[in-house]
Structure formats: C-alpha cells, structure tokens
Amino acid sequence: MSYYRIEEKALRAFSEESFQKAGFSEEEARIISDVILLSDLYGIESHGVQRFKMYHDNLKSGMVKKYNKTEILKETPVSATLDAHFGMGQLAAYRSMKMAIEKANKTGVGIVTVRNSNHYGIAGYYAKMACEEGLLGLSFTNSGAIMVPTNGRLPMLGSNPIACAMPAEPVDFLFDASTTVVTHGKLEVYRKLGKELPKGWALDDKGEESTDAGRVLDNFNAGKGGGILPLGGADEVHGGHKGYGYGMIVEIFSSILSMGMTSNNCLKGGIDGCCHGFIAIDPDIFGDREEIKNHLSEYLELIRKTLRAAGKERIYTHGEKEIEAMEDRLAKGILVNERTLNEIKEVAEGLQMDCSFY
Amino acid sequence: MSYYRIEEKALRAFSEESFQKAGFSEEEARIISDVILLSDLYGIESHGVQRFKMYHDNLKSGMVKKYNKTEILKETPVSATLDAHFGMGQLAAYRSMKMAIEKANKTGVGIVTVRNSNHYGIAGYYAKMACEEGLLGLSFTNSGAIMVPTNGRLPMLGSNPIACAMPAEPVDFLFDASTTVVTHGKLEVYRKLGKELPKGWALDDKGEESTDAGRVLDNFNAGKGGGILPLGGADEVHGGHKGYGYGMIVEIFSSILSMGMTSNNCLKGGIDGCCHGFIAIDPDIFGDREEIKNHLSEYLELIRKTLRAAGKERIYTHGEKEIEAMEDRLAKGILVNERTLNEIKEVAEGLQMDCSFY
C-alpha cells in the first residue's frame, strides 16, 4: 500500500475543523485532534488518523453521544469516579487525567476511574500528560473483548493496554503497550498482506493455535470464539498466565473500581462503554523530584549503553522510538496510507469540507 | 528427588524458633516465618523453606544486618520512603505495607517505597495483607540483575515481580509473577533434571538464545553475560519489549522512587540492597466497597465458566491455585524435598536446635 507524507499542521487543522463541524467546541476539537495526531507523530499508525473515519462514523451512528458531558460520581482529595455517559473517550480521559494531576499536585497522588466511555486513543497520551507536569503517570483502559484467558477459547478481556510515563533526560520513559501479544490491528495487517501469523499470537474458534489471520478474524468478528493470546502465549510455559494477569489488573483499575462494563460487555448493542483508569504521582512525596529524575536518567542511559546481543543494532529504552518518529514526522510530514487518505476524503465530503492537502 | 510431607505447624514452630535463636524478637520471627510458610502453603516451593538456609546464611555472613532497624526518610499522609539499612527484607516489607494500609485507611491511598533491603520472599504476601483489610494491594521488588533488556546480552533488570490482590468471593484475586519469562529457580530445576530449556527463555553469553540450562547458569553466575528473557521473549514479535517495560515499571516503584540501587547494582560486594514498593488503595474512595467486590467476583466467575480451549481441563482465575494448594498443605502437610530437609537439619545443628519433625 502506498504511503504519503502529509504536513502535520495541515492534518491537525483539518482534524480540528472536522470535529468542530461534527458538533464539538474549539477546545474539544483541539483535544480530540491532539490525541489522534500524537499517535501518528509517535509512529503508532493504528491509533492515529487511521481511526479518523471510525470516530466520525461513531459520532454519526450515535455510539458516541457527542453532547453528553462527563459527570463526577464520587470524589475525594486523592480520587474520583466519573461517568462519561458514552461521550467522546478522549474528552472524558483528558478531563480525568487533568483531575488526577490536580490532585497529585495537592496531595501527592490522584487516581481517577471512568466508566461508560468510548475509545480514547493511545493510552500513552494521558500518561505523558502527567509526565509533562513532572509527575509519574499511568493510564489503563479496557476495551471490547479480544483476549482469551489462559485455557479459554472465548475472548473475555480487551487488549487492555497499560501506559506508564516518567520524566527522564534526554528522553522521558514512556511505556505503552497492550497486555495481549499483539493487537487486533496487527492481525488485520497480516490478513491484508496475505501473510501467515507467527505461532503464539492467536487461537481459532476451537481454541487451537492458528496462523491464519483471515480465519481468526472471521471467527472473531462473527462472535464464534477464538481471539488473541495474552502476552506470553497460549500456556504457562512462556508465561501466558502473566499477560492474562496484567490484563486483569487493567480491568481492576478501569471497569472494576468504576463499577463499569468489563471488556466482555463492551462494544455490544451499538454502544462501547469501555472504562479507563488514570494515576498521577508526585515524585516529591518520596524524595527530591530532580534527584529522582537524574537517578532514572542514569539508569536508562546505562541500559542503552550496555552490551548488545549478537546481531542487534541498538538497545532502546521505552519512549525513544516515539521521540525519533516524532522528529521525523514533524520534519517530513505524517505517513498516511492511501486507504486512510480516501477515508479522510469521505469524511470531508460528508462534512462538506475542503481537504486541499489531499 | 524425594518429597516429604511435613506438618505445617511443626515447620512453622521450628522456623520461628530458629529466627529467634538467630537474634530476632518473637514478633519478628513470627513475621519472617509467616512470609516463608505462606509461600510453601501456596505451593510456591522456590520461595518457601527452600530459602531457609539462604536466609540463615545471609544472617551469618552479615549480608543481612539483623540489628538494623528500618528508618523513615520521608513521610506524607499518602506516602513514605524507608531505608531498611540492609536489615531483613520481610521485616522492612511488612512494616512498609502496614504503613501503606494505615494511610489507605485514612486518606484512601498509601504508597511506600523502601531502599537498601534484602530478599523479601513472595511479593504476593504483602499484596494479600492489603486485600485482607478489604483493600486493593500491590507489591513490587527489584532484585539482583537477571533480565536482559530487549536486544541486550547483559542482565540489567531483576526478575522484578509484580503482585496485585483484591477482595473477591469465593476466592480473592491474587496475581504474583516475575516480569521475566521464568525465574532463576526454574532454570536450576532444568539443570538438575538435565532437561533442555524451552526456546525463548534464556540467552547465552553472546546474547544468542540457548536451551542449555547449565551453560546459561554458568555464564550468568560467572558474570559473563546472558540471562533470562523478559516476558514475551527475545524480540518484539512476541512482545519481549513489553516484559522489559513491566520490569522497568517495577524499578520505578522500587529503586527509582526510593533513590535506591537499581537491579544492576544489587547483590554485589556482599550486600543485596534491593528495593521494594507497596501500594494500598481503599475501593471505597471510588464507590461502595461491597458492590465493587461483587462486581469483581461476578466477572471472575464468568471467566472461570467460559468455554475452554480444546484439550484444556479448566480455566483458572489468579489466586485459585494458591488457595487449593493451601488447603492441600494444611490437610496433608507441606511438601519439602530431601535436599531442603538436609539444609534445615544443617541450620538446626548450627543453632543447636532439635528438629524432631525430620
């Protein structure tokens, strides 16, 4: 598939205008677009403008209730529980992490959970919000079930990412990954390319390992069972029960504490209903923020400089690839594939917008 | 190797007496023994009385400074940083989680980090302490470096377990696992049995995958490099960078926030110096504790009852195996292997104790 480079500013301006036309305020459209664009800048194509049409379709179908405001159900100096009332996930999540940060700045810690939300983009965006304020940030979300528990054959957990960010020099620590071996999007890429899946990624409808991306996705989409394996694979030999356990920790910090929908109930009957969790922690409550930052920076540097395995070019610390991708995209434009560009054009036509960058 | 069943009470009484003879108070000996025994009761042989001799040896060698008391370096209503001054890990950890629980009972959240400690036993013990008070509990520890970062060939992180426990019926959720594919102890078992390691567990000194347990352990013990892979394996295809990321999160909550030794510096020059982190959260700050517990219990029950994969007997939720092992051990005695019994006898002789259960 052909890729084009689109100037970041043009794509951002288009995105902001499109969400304003769809009914959001200037500020809301700015937040939604910022989450989407950061994903593309970080080189995470799956969660960037590739989802643009999906978000606009969900607004049109009513899955995302654009006029619903997030409501605070319970609040303490260190916590809050919010109900997003099926509004835009990015807005509920942004507000929640802002609250967690304010609480952390006052008491040292802020933990906010949200129920009845929608897809919130990359988990890392919100962890990074805390990090940019000098805090340790964590972000969790459940999602429509795709992960089969160890020994099971039906998906019962979502891809359930955990993101964690903490200030460091010259590059912040930023970890953001699903607790499954891979994500749904990766299987779709393999299907498009007609490639066999690596063993250890997915199960078919009988619960047997399958390398046939088409079969796995067809079964999954038809609700016939099968799905993606937890990090660690199909059994306990390589630690599949651990990935399943991390997925459960995400459910606890999102759907369980908020009394929201667990992943097995999300994305059913025309609503999503996924739940998020956000944690912000001020390192100053443990010691000196700057000393702690230096301590982490030195450790990360040691890891990057340690001896490489045979045939390996470089040891990365988490967050480096994202920063390098961002430098590339800001200089040369965001990589957008042909199909996504066509979808953007469709959205533009529907909203009677000009998309002259296309 | 032959296994014997030893009555739990006899083993516990012996353990308590031995630590009192080694210089601890009755209460201290009780705590240390309770952590060790719970591991055996849970069926986690690697962290039970199998480590008995190690703990006593470390007390004799001075690696564990038995008269040093844990000191509070910094404290807020939601947090504390402690220095264990190289005292007994279980005692520093027990005190820290107690503090986290007290803070959670007052403010909703307690986070305590500890530096300059020693091996603290199973991470799950401390998460379970919070759970038994109706709280969500998390426990982290770093340890002597054994995990190679993705693309590296020298160990830079420990086995770095994460434990998480949360009240549920009929069985609490309890997850406790290293962020490596397997632990050091598992490799030793394979060496003893002369079995080939499964692919994807370990690297040799060149950083190439190795299935030779002896070679991996010899290289590792001699400081020549190689080590155990992060959960997810050697490369990003199966998510090795994710296990490496979870290992880093453990470092942040243990060694980084406490300004302690990162894993690469632990267990050198006759001291350990590992660091721990503990979190206790009161579910009441998000909603109603009982409702949240029921919500989790129902979800866990759904997962246990969901369709099984071909050829699989049962779907477990985390914590079930431990409870079943405990029922078995309490009824029939703790499983202790011959070699460990001989080590216990050695310790008994050194302390001039009777070990009539042997």
CSV table of all heavy atoms in Angstrom, one decimal, chain B residues 45-96:
chain,number,residue,atom,x,y,z
B,45,GLU,N,7.2,-23.4,46.0
B,45,GLU,CA,8.4,-24.0,46.7
B,45,GLU,C,9.6,-23.2,46.7
B,45,GLU,O,10.3,-23.1,47.7
B,45,GLU,CB,8.7,-25.4,46.0
B,45,GLU,CG,9.6,-26.2,46.8
B,45,GLU,CD,10.0,-27.5,46.0
B,45,GLU,OE1,9.3,-27.9,45.1
B,45,GLU,OE2,11.1,-28.1,46.4
B,46,SER,N,9.8,-22.5,45.5
B,46,SER,CA,11.1,-21.7,45.3
B,46,SER,C,11.3,-20.7,46.4
B,46,SER,O,12.4,-20.3,46.7
B,46,SER,CB,11.0,-21.0,44.0
B,46,SER,OG,9.9,-20.2,43.9
B,47,HIS,N,10.2,-20.1,47.0
B,47,HIS,CA,10.3,-19.0,47.9
B,47,HIS,C,10.0,-19.4,49.4
B,47,HIS,O,9.9,-18.6,50.3
B,47,HIS,CB,9.4,-17.8,47.5
B,47,HIS,CG,10.0,-17.1,46.4
B,47,HIS,ND1,10.3,-17.7,45.2
B,47,HIS,CD2,10.3,-15.8,46.2
B,47,HIS,CE1,10.7,-16.7,44.3
B,47,HIS,NE2,10.8,-15.6,44.9
B,48,GLY,N,9.8,-20.7,49.6
B,48,GLY,CA,9.4,-21.2,50.9
B,48,GLY,C,10.7,-21.7,51.7
B,48,GLY,O,11.7,-21.0,51.7
B,49,VAL,N,10.5,-22.8,52.5
B,49,VAL,CA,11.6,-23.2,53.3
B,49,VAL,C,12.8,-23.6,52.5
B,49,VAL,O,13.9,-23.8,53.0
B,49,VAL,CB,11.2,-24.4,54.3
B,49,VAL,CG1,10.2,-23.9,55.3
B,49,VAL,CG2,10.6,-25.5,53.5
B,50,GLN,N,12.7,-23.7,51.2
B,50,GLN,CA,13.8,-24.0,50.3
B,50,GLN,C,14.8,-22.8,50.4
B,50,GLN,O,16.0,-23.0,50.2
B,50,GLN,CB,13.3,-24.1,48.8
B,50,GLN,CG,14.3,-24.6,47.8
B,50,GLN,CD,14.9,-23.5,47.0
B,50,GLN,OE1,14.3,-22.4,46.9
B,50,GLN,NE2,16.1,-23.7,46.5
B,51,ARG,N,14.4,-21.6,50.9
B,51,ARG,CA,15.3,-20.5,51.1
B,51,ARG,C,15.7,-20.3,52.5
B,51,ARG,O,16.4,-19.4,52.9
B,51,ARG,CB,14.5,-19.2,50.7
B,51,ARG,CG,14.1,-19.1,49.3
B,51,ARG,CD,14.9,-18.2,48.4
B,51,ARG,NE,14.5,-18.2,47.1
B,51,ARG,CZ,14.9,-17.4,46.1
B,51,ARG,NH1,15.9,-16.5,46.4
B,51,ARG,NH2,14.5,-17.5,44.9
B,52,PHE,N,15.3,-21.2,53.4
B,52,PHE,CA,15.6,-21.2,54.8
B,52,PHE,C,17.1,-21.0,55.1
B,52,PHE,O,17.5,-20.1,55.8
B,52,PHE,CB,15.0,-22.5,55.4
B,52,PHE,CG,14.8,-22.4,56.8
B,52,PHE,CD1,13.8,-21.6,57.3
B,52,PHE,CD2,15.5,-23.1,57.7
B,52,PHE,CE1,13.5,-21.5,58.7
B,52,PHE,CE2,15.3,-23.1,59.1
B,52,PHE,CZ,14.3,-22.3,59.6
B,53,LYS,N,17.8,-21.9,54.4
B,53,LYS,CA,19.3,-21.9,54.7
B,53,LYS,C,19.9,-20.6,54.1
B,53,LYS,O,20.8,-20.0,54.8
B,53,LYS,CB,19.9,-23.1,54.0
B,53,LYS,CG,21.4,-23.3,54.3
B,53,LYS,CD,22.0,-24.6,54.0
B,53,LYS,CE,23.4,-24.7,54.4
B,53,LYS,NZ,24.3,-23.7,53.7
B,54,MET,N,19.4,-20.2,53.0
B,54,MET,CA,19.9,-18.9,52.4
B,54,MET,C,19.7,-17.8,53.4
B,54,MET,O,20.7,-17.0,53.6
B,54,MET,CB,19.2,-18.6,51.1
B,54,MET,CG,19.7,-17.3,50.4
B,54,MET,SD,18.6,-16.8,49.1
B,54,MET,CE,17.4,-15.8,50.0
B,55,TYR,N,18.5,-17.7,54.0
B,55,TYR,CA,18.3,-16.6,54.9
B,55,TYR,C,19.2,-16.7,56.1
B,55,TYR,O,19.8,-15.7,56.6
B,55,TYR,CB,16.8,-16.6,55.4
B,55,TYR,CG,15.8,-16.2,54.3
B,55,TYR,CD1,14.7,-16.9,54.0
B,55,TYR,CD2,16.0,-15.0,53.6
B,55,TYR,CE1,13.8,-16.6,53.0
B,55,TYR,CE2,15.1,-14.6,52.6
B,55,TYR,CZ,14.0,-15.4,52.3
B,55,TYR,OH,13.1,-15.0,51.4
B,56,HIS,N,19.4,-17.9,56.7
B,56,HIS,CA,20.3,-18.0,57.8
B,56,HIS,C,21.7,-17.8,57.4
B,56,HIS,O,22.5,-17.2,58.2
B,56,HIS,CB,20.1,-19.4,58.5
B,56,HIS,CG,18.9,-19.4,59.4
B,56,HIS,ND1,18.9,-18.9,60.6
B,56,HIS,CD2,17.6,-19.9,59.3
B,56,HIS,CE1,17.8,-19.0,61.2
B,56,HIS,NE2,16.9,-19.7,60.4
B,57,ASP,N,22.1,-18.2,56.2
B,57,ASP,CA,23.5,-18.0,55.8
B,57,ASP,C,23.7,-16.5,55.6
B,57,ASP,O,24.8,-15.9,56.0
B,57,ASP,CB,23.7,-18.6,54.4
B,57,ASP,CG,23.9,-20.1,54.6
B,57,ASP,OD1,24.1,-20.6,55.7
B,57,ASP,OD2,23.9,-20.8,53.5
B,58,ASN,N,22.7,-15.8,55.1
B,58,ASN,CA,22.9,-14.3,54.9
B,58,ASN,C,22.9,-13.6,56.2
B,58,ASN,O,23.6,-12.5,56.3
B,58,ASN,CB,21.7,-13.8,54.0
B,58,ASN,CG,21.9,-14.3,52.6
B,58,ASN,OD1,22.9,-14.8,52.2
B,58,ASN,ND2,20.8,-14.1,51.8
B,59,LEU,N,22.3,-14.1,57.2
B,59,LEU,CA,22.4,-13.5,58.6
B,59,LEU,C,23.8,-13.7,59.1
B,59,LEU,O,24.4,-12.8,59.7
B,59,LEU,CB,21.3,-14.1,59.5
B,59,LEU,CG,19.9,-13.7,59.3
B,59,LEU,CD1,18.9,-14.6,59.9
B,59,LEU,CD2,19.7,-12.2,59.8
B,60,LYS,N,24.3,-14.9,58.9
B,60,LYS,CA,25.6,-15.3,59.4
B,60,LYS,C,26.7,-14.4,58.7
B,60,LYS,O,27.7,-14.0,59.3
B,60,LYS,CB,25.9,-16.8,59.3
B,60,LYS,CG,25.4,-17.6,60.5
B,60,LYS,CD,26.0,-19.0,60.5
B,60,LYS,CE,25.3,-19.8,59.4
B,60,LYS,NZ,25.7,-21.2,59.5
B,61,SER,N,26.6,-14.3,57.4
B,61,SER,CA,27.6,-13.6,56.6
B,61,SER,C,27.6,-12.1,56.8
B,61,SER,O,28.6,-11.4,56.5
B,61,SER,CB,27.5,-13.9,55.1
B,61,SER,OG,26.4,-13.2,54.6
B,62,GLY,N,26.5,-11.6,57.4
B,62,GLY,CA,26.4,-10.2,57.6
B,62,GLY,C,25.8,-9.5,56.4
B,62,GLY,O,25.6,-8.3,56.4
B,63,MET,N,25.4,-10.2,55.3
B,63,MET,CA,24.7,-9.6,54.2
B,63,MET,C,23.4,-9.0,54.8
B,63,MET,O,23.0,-7.9,54.4
B,63,MET,CB,24.4,-10.6,53.1
B,63,MET,CG,23.5,-10.0,52.0
B,63,MET,SD,23.0,-11.3,50.8
B,63,MET,CE,24.3,-11.1,49.6
B,64,VAL,N,22.7,-9.8,55.6
B,64,VAL,CA,21.5,-9.2,56.3
B,64,VAL,C,22.0,-8.7,57.7
B,64,VAL,O,22.5,-9.5,58.5
B,64,VAL,CB,20.4,-10.3,56.5
B,64,VAL,CG1,19.3,-9.7,57.3
B,64,VAL,CG2,19.9,-10.8,55.1
B,65,LYS,N,21.8,-7.4,57.9
B,65,LYS,CA,22.2,-6.8,59.2
B,65,LYS,C,21.0,-6.9,60.2
B,65,LYS,O,20.1,-6.1,60.1
B,65,LYS,CB,22.6,-5.4,59.0
B,65,LYS,CG,23.4,-5.1,57.7
B,65,LYS,CD,24.9,-5.0,58.1
B,65,LYS,CE,25.7,-4.8,56.8
B,65,LYS,NZ,26.6,-5.9,56.5
B,66,LYS,N,21.0,-8.0,61.0
B,66,LYS,CA,19.8,-8.3,61.7
B,66,LYS,C,19.4,-7.2,62.8
B,66,LYS,O,18.3,-7.1,63.1
B,66,LYS,CB,19.9,-9.7,62.4
B,66,LYS,CG,21.0,-9.9,63.4
B,66,LYS,CD,21.0,-11.3,63.8
B,66,LYS,CE,22.4,-11.7,64.4
B,66,LYS,NZ,22.6,-13.1,64.4
B,67,TYR,N,20.4,-6.4,63.3
B,67,TYR,CA,20.0,-5.5,64.3
B,67,TYR,C,19.7,-4.1,63.7
B,67,TYR,O,19.3,-3.2,64.5
B,67,TYR,CB,21.2,-5.4,65.3
B,67,TYR,CG,21.4,-6.7,66.0
B,67,TYR,CD1,22.6,-7.3,65.9
B,67,TYR,CD2,20.4,-7.3,66.8
B,67,TYR,CE1,22.8,-8.6,66.5
B,67,TYR,CE2,20.6,-8.5,67.4
B,67,TYR,CZ,21.8,-9.1,67.3
B,67,TYR,OH,22.0,-10.4,67.9
B,68,ASN,N,19.8,-4.0,62.4
B,68,ASN,CA,19.4,-2.7,61.8
B,68,ASN,C,17.9,-2.5,61.7
B,68,ASN,O,17.2,-3.4,61.2
B,68,ASN,CB,20.1,-2.5,60.4
B,68,ASN,CG,21.6,-2.3,60.6
B,68,ASN,OD1,22.1,-2.3,61.6
B,68,ASN,ND2,22.2,-2.0,59.4
B,69,LYS,N,17.5,-1.4,62.1
B,69,LYS,CA,16.0,-1.1,62.1
B,69,LYS,C,15.7,-0.2,60.8
B,69,LYS,O,16.5,0.6,60.4
B,69,LYS,CB,15.5,-0.4,63.3
B,69,LYS,CG,15.8,-1.1,64.6
B,69,LYS,CD,14.9,-2.4,64.7
B,69,LYS,CE,15.2,-3.2,65.9
B,69,LYS,NZ,14.7,-4.6,65.8
B,70,THR,N,14.5,-0.4,60.3
B,70,THR,CA,14.1,0.3,59.1
B,70,THR,C,13.8,1.8,59.6
B,70,THR,O,13.2,2.0,60.6
B,70,THR,CB,12.8,-0.3,58.6
B,70,THR,OG1,13.1,-1.6,58.2
B,70,THR,CG2,12.3,0.5,57.4
B,71,GLU,N,14.3,2.7,58.8
B,71,GLU,CA,14.2,4.2,59.1
B,71,GLU,C,13.2,4.9,58.1
B,71,GLU,O,13.3,4.6,56.9
B,71,GLU,CB,15.6,4.8,59.1
B,71,GLU,CG,15.6,6.3,59.4
B,71,GLU,CD,17.0,6.9,59.0
B,71,GLU,OE1,17.8,6.2,58.4
B,71,GLU,OE2,17.2,8.1,59.3
B,72,ILE,N,12.4,5.7,58.7
B,72,ILE,CA,11.5,6.5,57.8
B,72,ILE,C,12.3,7.8,57.3
B,72,ILE,O,12.7,8.6,58.1
B,72,ILE,CB,10.2,7.0,58.5
B,72,ILE,CG1,9.4,5.7,58.9
B,72,ILE,CG2,9.4,7.9,57.6
B,72,ILE,CD1,8.2,6.0,59.8
B,73,LEU,N,12.5,7.9,56.0
B,73,LEU,CA,13.3,9.0,55.5
B,73,LEU,C,12.4,10.2,55.1
B,73,LEU,O,12.8,11.3,55.3
B,73,LEU,CB,14.0,8.6,54.2
B,73,LEU,CG,15.0,7.5,54.3
B,73,LEU,CD1,15.5,7.0,52.9
B,73,LEU,CD2,16.2,7.9,55.2
B,74,LYS,N,11.2,9.9,54.7
B,74,LYS,CA,10.2,10.9,54.3
B,74,LYS,C,8.8,10.4,54.4
B,74,LYS,O,8.6,9.2,54.1
B,74,LYS,CB,10.5,11.4,52.8
B,74,LYS,CG,9.8,12.6,52.4
B,74,LYS,CD,10.4,13.3,51.2
B,74,LYS,CE,9.7,14.6,50.9
B,74,LYS,NZ,10.4,15.4,49.8
B,75,GLU,N,7.9,11.2,54.8
B,75,GLU,CA,6.5,10.7,55.0
B,75,GLU,C,5.5,11.8,54.7
B,75,GLU,O,5.7,13.0,55.0
B,75,GLU,CB,6.3,10.2,56.5
B,75,GLU,CG,5.1,9.5,56.6
B,75,GLU,CD,5.0,8.8,58.0
B,75,GLU,OE1,5.8,9.0,58.9
B,75,GLU,OE2,4.0,8.0,58.2
B,76,THR,N,4.4,11.5,54.0
B,76,THR,CA,3.3,12.3,53.8
B,76,THR,C,2.0,11.5,54.2
B,76,THR,O,2.2,10.3,54.4
B,76,THR,CB,3.2,12.8,52.3
B,76,THR,OG1,2.6,11.8,51.5
B,76,THR,CG2,4.5,13.2,51.7
B,77,PRO,N,0.9,12.1,54.2
B,77,PRO,CA,-0.3,11.3,54.5
B,77,PRO,C,-0.6,10.2,53.5
B,77,PRO,O,-1.3,9.3,53.9
B,77,PRO,CB,-1.5,12.4,54.5
B,77,PRO,CG,-0.8,13.7,54.8
B,77,PRO,CD,0.6,13.6,54.1
B,78,VAL,N,0.0,10.3,52.3
B,78,VAL,CA,-0.3,9.2,51.3
B,78,VAL,C,0.9,8.4,51.0
B,78,VAL,O,0.9,7.5,50.1
B,78,VAL,CB,-0.9,9.8,50.0
B,78,VAL,CG1,-2.3,10.4,50.3
B,78,VAL,CG2,0.1,10.8,49.4
B,79,SER,N,2.1,8.7,51.6
B,79,SER,CA,3.3,8.1,51.1
B,79,SER,C,4.4,8.0,52.2
B,79,SER,O,4.3,8.8,53.2
B,79,SER,CB,3.9,8.8,49.9
B,79,SER,OG,4.4,10.1,50.4
B,80,ALA,N,5.4,7.2,52.0
B,80,ALA,CA,6.6,7.2,52.8
B,80,ALA,C,7.7,6.6,52.0
B,80,ALA,O,7.5,5.8,51.1
B,80,ALA,CB,6.3,6.4,54.1
B,81,THR,N,8.9,7.0,52.4
B,81,THR,CA,10.1,6.4,51.8
B,81,THR,C,10.9,5.9,53.0
B,81,THR,O,11.2,6.6,54.0
B,81,THR,CB,11.0,7.4,51.0
B,81,THR,OG1,10.1,8.0,50.0
B,81,THR,CG2,12.1,6.7,50.4
B,82,LEU,N,11.3,4.6,53.0
B,82,LEU,CA,12.0,4.0,54.1
B,82,LEU,C,13.4,3.5,53.7
B,82,LEU,O,13.6,3.2,52.5
B,82,LEU,CB,11.2,2.8,54.6
B,82,LEU,CG,10.1,3.1,55.6
B,82,LEU,CD1,9.1,4.1,55.1
B,82,LEU,CD2,9.4,1.8,56.1
B,83,ASP,N,14.3,3.5,54.6
B,83,ASP,CA,15.6,2.9,54.4
B,83,ASP,C,15.7,1.7,55.3
B,83,ASP,O,15.6,1.8,56.5
B,83,ASP,CB,16.7,3.9,54.7
B,83,ASP,CG,18.1,3.4,54.3
B,83,ASP,OD1,18.4,2.2,54.3
B,83,ASP,OD2,18.9,4.2,53.8
B,84,ALA,N,15.9,0.5,54.7
B,84,ALA,CA,15.9,-0.8,55.5
B,84,ALA,C,17.3,-1.0,56.1
B,84,ALA,O,17.5,-1.9,56.9
B,84,ALA,CB,15.5,-1.9,54.6
B,85,HIS,N,18.2,-0.2,55.8
B,85,HIS,CA,19.6,-0.3,56.3
B,85,HIS,C,20.1,-1.8,56.2
B,85,HIS,O,20.7,-2.2,57.2
B,85,HIS,CB,19.7,0.3,57.7
B,85,HIS,CG,19.6,1.8,57.8
B,85,HIS,ND1,20.4,2.6,57.1
B,85,HIS,CD2,18.6,2.5,58.4
B,85,HIS,CE1,20.0,3.9,57.3
B,85,HIS,NE2,18.9,3.9,58.1
B,86,PHE,N,19.8,-2.4,55.2
B,86,PHE,CA,20.2,-3.8,54.9
B,86,PHE,C,19.8,-4.8,55.9
B,86,PHE,O,20.4,-5.8,56.2
B,86,PHE,CB,21.8,-3.8,54.7
B,86,PHE,CG,22.2,-2.9,53.7
B,86,PHE,CD1,22.8,-1.6,54.0
B,86,PHE,CD2,22.1,-3.2,52.3
B,86,PHE,CE1,23.2,-0.7,53.1
B,86,PHE,CE2,22.5,-2.2,51.4
B,86,PHE,CZ,23.0,-1.0,51.7
B,87,GLY,N,18.6,-4.5,56.6
B,87,GLY,CA,18.0,-5.4,57.5
B,87,GLY,C,17.2,-6.5,56.8
B,87,GLY,O,17.3,-6.6,55.5
B,88,MET,N,16.5,-7.3,57.5
B,88,MET,CA,15.8,-8.4,57.0
B,88,MET,C,14.6,-7.9,56.1
B,88,MET,O,13.8,-7.1,56.5
B,88,MET,CB,15.2,-9.3,58.1
B,88,MET,CG,14.8,-10.7,57.8
B,88,MET,SD,16.2,-11.8,57.5
B,88,MET,CE,15.3,-13.3,57.0
B,89,GLY,N,14.6,-8.4,54.8
B,89,GLY,CA,13.6,-7.9,53.8
B,89,GLY,C,12.2,-8.0,54.3
B,89,GLY,O,11.4,-7.1,54.1
B,90,GLN,N,11.9,-9.2,54.8
B,90,GLN,CA,10.5,-9.4,55.2
B,90,GLN,C,10.0,-8.4,56.3
B,90,GLN,O,8.8,-8.0,56.3
B,90,GLN,CB,10.3,-10.8,55.8
B,90,GLN,CG,10.4,-12.0,54.8
B,90,GLN,CD,11.8,-12.4,54.6
B,90,GLN,OE1,12.8,-11.7,55.0
B,90,GLN,NE2,12.0,-13.6,54.1
B,91,LEU,N,10.9,-8.0,57.2
B,91,LEU,CA,10.5,-7.1,58.2
B,91,LEU,C,10.3,-5.7,57.7
B,91,LEU,O,9.4,-5.0,58.0
B,91,LEU,CB,11.6,-7.1,59.4
B,91,LEU,CG,11.7,-8.5,60.0
B,91,LEU,CD1,12.9,-8.4,61.1
B,91,LEU,CD2,10.4,-8.9,60.7
B,92,ALA,N,11.2,-5.3,56.8
B,92,ALA,CA,11.1,-3.9,56.2
B,92,ALA,C,9.8,-3.9,55.3
B,92,ALA,O,9.0,-2.9,55.4
B,92,ALA,CB,12.3,-3.7,55.3
B,93,ALA,N,9.6,-5.0,54.6
B,93,ALA,CA,8.4,-5.0,53.7
B,93,ALA,C,7.1,-5.1,54.5
B,93,ALA,O,6.1,-4.4,54.2
B,93,ALA,CB,8.5,-6.3,52.8
B,94,TYR,N,7.1,-5.9,55.6
B,94,TYR,CA,5.9,-6.0,56.4
B,94,TYR,C,5.5,-4.6,57.0
B,94,TYR,O,4.4,-4.1,57.0
B,94,TYR,CB,6.1,-7.0,57.5
B,94,TYR,CG,4.9,-7.2,58.4
B,94,TYR,CD1,4.0,-8.2,58.1
B,94,TYR,CD2,4.8,-6.6,59.7
B,94,TYR,CE1,2.9,-8.4,58.9
B,94,TYR,CE2,3.7,-6.8,60.5
B,94,TYR,CZ,2.8,-7.8,60.1
B,94,TYR,OH,1.7,-8.0,60.9
B,95,ARG,N,6.5,-3.9,57.6
B,95,ARG,CA,6.3,-2.6,58.2
B,95,ARG,C,5.8,-1.6,57.1
B,95,ARG,O,4.9,-0.8,57.4
B,95,ARG,CB,7.6,-2.1,58.8
B,95,ARG,CG,7.4,-0.8,59.4
B,95,ARG,CD,8.7,-0.2,60.1
B,95,ARG,NE,8.4,1.1,60.7
B,95,ARG,CZ,9.4,1.9,61.1
B,95,ARG,NH1,10.6,1.6,61.0
B,95,ARG,NH2,9.0,3.1,61.6
B,96,SER,N,6.4,-1.7,55.9
B,96,SER,CA,6.0,-0.8,54.8
B,96,SER,C,4.6,-1.0,54.4
B,96,SER,O,3.9,0.0,54.2
B,96,SER,CB,7.0,-1.0,53.6
B,96,SER,OG,8.3,-0.8,54.0
